[in-house]
């Protein structure tokens, strides 16, 4: 079972940041087509993201696509499942059906493009009450799912909570993600981003 120290986000639409991200020693780099890209730049950022993944040296290369509920997700997945991609980060997953839909599409693309079956990892981000409520089924929906990620910003918005510095309001939900991960035999989940980059003490 793998143990990852760090997943580093970088905007898919920013050439210098894409290149630099792969030189910083992170276990994996996530090129972001979702929050980091304006609507007008999402489609145009897919091809440059793949170019960066093909050129990477050491870190694993993931892409965070747009949620399945958006008009961008299908195009994101179709364009990025190519040699060089190690995994897809799928935001706002709320049911096992989200996983089976993405898994089916990825499997077709792997076969068509000569990739090994099951070679593309799928990491769902749990960001809502529905996602937490359906963790057990989501964890078992596909062998591509090796670990969860937890998204505190959208989760606290969904529940009407205030995201505080000590994050005590999230303990119960984080605990459920850990519990269901362990029960399903998944790797340890990836925690939410630390948003206040000027607060080094809080990050530590």
């Amino acid at each position: 079972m793998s143990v990852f120290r760090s997943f580093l986000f970088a905007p898919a639409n920013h050439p210098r940041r894409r290149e630099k991200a792969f030189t910083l020693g992170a276990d994996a780099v996530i090129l972001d087509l979702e929050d980091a890209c304006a609507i007008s730049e999402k489609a145009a950022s897919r091809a440059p993201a793949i170019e960066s993944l093909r050129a990477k040296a050491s870190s694993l290369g993931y892409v965070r696509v747009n949620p399945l509920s958006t008009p961008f997700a299908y195009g994101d997945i179709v364009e990025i499942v190519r040699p060089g991609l190690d995994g897809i980060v799928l935001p706002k997953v709320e049911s096992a059906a989200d996983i089976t839909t993405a898994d089916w599409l990825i499997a077709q693309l792997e076969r068509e493009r000569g990739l090994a079956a099951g070679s593309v990892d799928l990491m769902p981000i749990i960001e809502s009450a529905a996602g937490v409520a359906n963790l057990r089924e989501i964890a078992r929906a596909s062998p591509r799912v090796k670990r969860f990620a937890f998204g505190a910003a959208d989760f606290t918005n969904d529940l009407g909570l205030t995201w505080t510095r000590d994050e005590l309001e999230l303990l119960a939900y984080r605990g459920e993600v850990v519990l269901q991960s362990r029960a399903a035999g998944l790797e340890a989940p990836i925690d939410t981003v630390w948003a206040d980059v000027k607060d080094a003490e809080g990050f530590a």
Side-chain angles (χ1 to χ4, degrees), residues 4-8 25-29:
F4 291 100
R5 298 167 305 141
S6 56
F7 281 74
L8 177 63
D27 292 321
V29 171

Side-chain angles (χ1 to χ4, degrees), residues 5-198:
R5 298 167 305 141
S6 56
F7 281 74
L8 177 63
F9 274 99
N13 60 344
H14 196 293
R16 186 178 64 82
R17 292 178 184 173
R18 284 199 314 266
E19 292 179 11
K20 185 175 182 180
F22 286 104
T23 70
L24 298 176
D27 292 321
V29 171
I30 303 171
L31 300 181
D32 189 16
L33 289 170
E34 190 200 15
D35 290 341
C37 291
I39 290 176
S40 60
E41 298 180 321
K42 289 182 184 295
S45 299
R46 296 164 181 160
I50 285 298
E51 290 176 10
S52 295
L53 293 175
R54 286 175 174 159
K56 70 183 189 295
S58 56
S59 299
L60 295 174
Y62 284 65
V63 174
R64 178 165 71 172
V65 299
N66 287 278
L68 292 179
S69 58
T70 71
F72 304 103
Y74 175 80
D76 288 347
I77 295 171
V78 168
E79 288 299 318
I80 67 169
V81 176
R82 299 180 186 277
L85 178 71
D86 294 300
I88 288 174
V89 178
L90 186 63
K92 297 178 175 61
V93 170
E94 295 191 328
S95 70
D98 291 338
I99 297 300
T100 55
T101 298
D103 176 70
W104 179 88
L105 178 55
I106 294 167
Q108 310 315 306
L109 296 167
E110 285 174 336
R111 185 173 63 252
E112 290 175 5
R113 295 169 182 175
L115 303 175
S119 61
V120 177
D121 187 13
L122 183 59
M123 184 161 68
I125 310 181
I126 304 303
E127 303 182 79
S128 68
V132 170
N134 294 318
L135 277 169
R136 188 181 187 282
E137 292 77 17
I138 294 169
R140 293 163 173 80
S142 168
R144 287 185 200 279
V145 176
K146 299 178 177 64
R147 72 198 73 79
F148 288 122
F150 180 66
D154 283 316
F155 185 80
T156 51
N157 285 338
D158 186 46
L159 271 70
L161 301 174
T162 299
W163 189 7
T164 64
R165 185 178 186 275
D166 61 19
E167 301 185 327
L168 293 177
E169 67 280 353
L170 297 173
L171 284 178
Y173 309 109
R174 277 192 170 116
E176 187 65 15
V177 175
V178 172
L179 177 68
Q180 294 298 338
S181 296
R182 177 60 178 163
L186 302 184
E187 298 173 10
I190 304 301
D191 204 359
T192 193
V193 297
W194 180 254
D196 188 351
V197 295
K198 295 182 179 180

